[in-house]
Amino acid sequence: MADMRNGEAGASALELFNSITTQGELVRSLKAQKASKEEIDSAVKMLLSLKMSYKAALGEDYKADCPPGSTAPDGSSETNGTDSNEDFVDPWTVRTSSAKGVDYDKLIVQFGSSKIDKELINRIERATGQRPHRFLRRGIFFSHRDMNQVLDAYENRKPFYLYTGRGPSSEAMHVGHLIPFIFTKWLQDVFDVPLVVQMSDDEKYLWKDLTVEQVYGYTLENVKDIIACGFDVNKTFIFSDLDYMGMSPGFYKNVVKIQKHVTFNQVKGIFGFSDSDCIGKISFPAIQAAPSFSSSFPQIFHNRTDVQCLIPCAIDQDPYFRMTRDVAPRIGYPKPALLHSTFFPALQGAQTKMSASDPNSSIFLTDTAKQIKTKVNKHAFSGGRDTIEEHRQFGGNCDVDVSFMYLTFFLEDDDKLEQIRKDYSSGAMLTGELKKTLIEVLQPLIAEHQARRKEVTDEMVKEFMTPRKLSFHFQCFCFDT
């Protein structure tokens, strides 16, 4: 799966402009050909989504006669996308000018998803009998598509399954990569459902300057970190695209079905691909979509096509699954449901991006206790004042302070987190004290993960990655044996 955080290089403003132009031509063509209402509506919906993305990127409405960077009809210069104050989010780029990070309420409106509100959180608690995960309590998972439908199924003793993934671009994962897996493990435990984890090594080969052998090697290393999160081998299937595509007719058949129902213009419009992109990139979205359908895993679901999928992922992955949800009814499958998370900030602040090539941009799962301490103290962006006197008088800003942001992800105790917020905001707690608190949370967390990872053998990796039957709560009365 495309990395559950964010990727590398997004579409330029001009590519977005060209995608809108192309999609507009497609809409006109479909209307002229008197295509079906469903097909026209789908194309129009995609055109509107592209125009929203264009406005988010450039801060201006799309004008057919005015490409970005050109002179507008009134003689004024168009705004360049890189200078825009608006947020821009797609599967490869996350851009914001705010030190607080992306405005997620606006993103919900832009993407057309639904906010995870208190009512939904309470319903999850009633259904599972478990206290909601801190990621739900604190709005880290903040948006959804059809979660109420999943809960309807669960309450009526109908099965569903989980799907998440990882794009293995380096041997070492960082703490941000743990977020979807921590939450997915909680979902697996409280709902007692099967999980499939896609390792999109094919995607990383297509997008990066890596060999097939390198990306597959990264897959095996990353799988060890994923297993170390504590997943149940009896309920979890982890697969490499490079492996599984060649051994699963069910998976490949679904890839082909999806490919047939998405046009080249549509995929260019959604993902901003240009004519110079390799055809592998253009076909990859169908591969990320395929695990959303239960018939891609006949060994788990006994060739059933009607088991709904729930996908926990970062919000930047939503374009893949908007496409998937559009295709699903046309090939006779249920639409996947989604739970969207916020982005995990880089140490340097929510405006910057974590990078595997910059070891100081995040805390990596291979870091020593000393490295963690040094990184937090030297690089974690502070919301504190310039002097102790000013800080004591005016207090710090938790909204932009990275140490506090990290604590919202990893400190379990709600009361302690709230006390830290009050103390830091009032000036009672200094930046150095806040960083010390974060270090004391991260050091044991990383050390414990490293200890669990050392216990993961090659044999365990092979067991998790072998296609097989899984054991879970619904199996006894929902599937034929």
Side-chain angles (χ1 to χ4, degrees):
M1 175 178 262
D3 199 337
M4 286 306 202
R5 226 322 255 128
N6 59 297
E8 302 304 320
S12 69
L14 184 58
E15 286 171 341
L16 263 176
F17 178 89
N18 291 336
S19 295
I20 294 171
T21 304
T22 302
Q23 189 68 14
E25 290 170 356
L26 173 64
V27 170
R28 288 189 290 275
S29 172
L30 289 172
K31 288 179 177 178
Q33 296 167 16
K34 297 186 177 178
S36 69
K37 184 178 183 299
E38 186 182 58
E39 197 171 359
I40 293 172
D41 287 349
S42 174
V44 170
K45 194 185 299 181
M46 210 160 291
L47 178 62
L48 293 174
S49 176
L50 279 169
K51 287 183 176 180
M52 286 175 68
S53 295
Y54 185 89
K55 185 170 183 177
L58 276 77
E60 298 281 344
D61 288 324
Y62 164 83
K63 297 183 180 70
D65 57 350
C66 207
S70 67
T71 302
D74 61 0
S76 63
S77 178
E78 288 289 290
T79 303
N80 186 287
T82 58
D83 297 328
S84 170
N85 289 325
E86 294 289 329
D87 298 337
F88 179 79
V89 174
D90 73 6
W92 298 278
T93 301
V94 177
R95 183 171 63 242
T96 178
S97 59
S98 170
K100 295 180 181 180
V102 170
D103 185 328
Y104 293 104
D105 289 332
K106 285 185 178 179
L107 207 55
I108 286 173
V109 174
Q110 182 184 338
F111 281 13
S113 59
S114 301
K115 189 177 180 67
I116 296 178
D117 55 18
K118 186 64 178 173
E119 185 180 345
L120 180 59
I121 294 171
N122 290 341
R123 189 180 177 195
I124 292 171
E125 183 172 15
R126 289 194 304 271
T128 62
Q130 301 289 327
R131 187 187 188 205
H133 195 276
R134 64 180 183 274
F135 290 173
L136 287 172
R137 302 195 306 265
R138 297 172 189 169
I140 290 169
F141 273 81
F142 71 101
S143 164
H144 75 100
R145 295 186 187 278
D146 290 343
M147 186 60 193
N148 280 304
Q149 195 177 94
V150 170
L151 292 170
D152 289 342
Y154 182 77
E155 289 164 356
N156 287 293
R157 296 171 66 81
K158 292 180 180 177
F160 73 91
Y161 71 101
L162 299 165
Y163 157 39
T164 193
R166 163 82 182 125
S169 57
S170 64
E171 282 188 22
M173 291 166 58
H174 56 62
V175 285
H177 293 138
L178 289 181
I179 303 308
F181 294 110
I182 290 171
F183 188 60
T184 300
K185 181 190 183 301
W186 182 81
L187 291 170
Q188 183 185 59
D189 290 344
V190 299
F191 286 106
D192 191 14
V193 289
L195 161 68
V196 296
V197 180
Q198 180 184 52
M199 305 299 294
S200 58
D201 33 23
D202 53 343
E203 178 224 1
K204 292 305 176 187
Y205 171 70
L206 292 168
W207 262 266
K208 290 180 166 286
D209 186 21
L210 298 167
T211 66
V212 169
E213 291 74 24
Q214 281 176 310
V215 293
Y216 188 71
Y218 294 159
T219 284
L220 299 180
E221 291 302 314
N222 287 187
V223 166
K224 291 178 181 177
D225 277 311
I226 294 168
I227 293 171
C229 292
F231 291 107
D232 185 342
V233 68
N234 296 311
K235 302 175 191 172
T236 307
F237 173 48
I238 305 174
F239 65 97
S240 150
D241 284 344
L242 291 172
D243 272 346
Y244 190 60
M245 182 86 89
M247 67 173 72
S248 175
F251 188 87
Y252 185 61
K253 284 175 184 174
N254 281 339
V255 170
V256 171
K257 287 178 184 178
I258 297 160
Q259 288 173 338
K260 185 172 183 177
H261 288 81
V262 181
T263 68
F264 179 46
N265 278 333
Q266 285 174 321
V267 100
K268 282 203 300 182
I270 298 168
F271 302 103
F273 297 140
S274 69
D275 291 344
S276 60
D277 279 312
C278 71
I279 60 173
K281 289 184 180 182
I282 294 154
S283 63
F284 174 74
I287 298 172
Q288 179 154 324
S292 307
F293 306 130
S294 57
S295 55
S296 293
F297 308 99
Q299 71 278 9
I300 301 173
F301 301 108
H302 309 283
N303 293 305
R304 281 186 58 167
T305 62
D306 60 342
V307 184
Q308 189 171 20
C309 176
L310 173 62
I311 306 168
C313 64
I315 187 70
D316 60 343
Q317 296 301 302
D318 191 65
Y320 281 106
F321 300 113
R322 291 204 298 270
M323 181 200 80
T324 307
R325 285 167 56 84
D326 181 62
V327 169
R330 289 187 274 154
I331 57 179
Y333 297 149
K335 293 180 179 182
L338 289 102
L339 292 169
H340 301 124
S341 74
T342 59
F343 301 120
F344 191 82
L347 279 171
Q348 288 79 5
Q351 291 168 284
T352 59
K353 190 170 75 71
M354 288 176 289
S355 169
S357 60
D358 180 3
N360 294 320
S361 66
S362 188
I363 307 296
F364 284 79
L365 301 182
T366 52
D367 284 347
T368 65
K370 184 179 179 181
Q371 286 173 318
I372 293 168
K373 182 178 180 180
T374 300
K375 284 184 179 183
V376 172
N377 283 330
K378 281 188 68 175
H379 301 290
F381 185 81
S382 168
R385 302 289 176 170
D386 292 337
T387 66
I388 291 177
E389 291 75 18
E390 284 183 6
H391 188 89
R392 292 294 191 200
Q393 184 178 357
F394 301 109
N397 185 352
C398 289
D399 289 340
V400 302
D401 192 288
V402 166
S403 294
F404 185 80
M405 291 180 189
Y406 277 31
L407 285 172
T408 64
F409 282 89
F410 295 117
L411 181 62
E412 177 61 35
D413 190 323
D414 288 344
D415 293 336
K416 186 174 180 181
L417 183 68
E418 177 59 17
Q419 190 60 52
I420 291 169
R421 186 192 67 77
K422 287 179 179 176
D423 289 348
Y424 193 64
S425 299
S426 69
M429 174 181 272
L430 298 173
T431 296
E433 294 169 324
L434 178 59
K435 289 187 174 187
K436 183 174 182 289
T437 302
L438 175 62
I439 291 164
E440 290 170 352
V441 169
L442 286 179
Q443 284 177 333
L445 184 148
I446 300 299
E448 288 163 15
H449 180 88
Q450 289 170 352
R452 291 193 302 268
R453 193 188 190 282
K454 281 183 181 177
E455 300 297 317
V456 178
T457 64
D458 291 341
E459 290 71 26
M460 290 171 66
V461 170
K462 185 176 180 182
E463 186 177 3
F464 269 92
M465 298 186 73
T466 298
R468 66 203 186 283
K469 290 182 180 178
L470 298 180
S471 174
F472 44 92
H473 175 62
F474 290 114
Q475 191 169 21
C476 59
F477 50 82
C478 287
F479 297 124
D480 296 328
T481 55

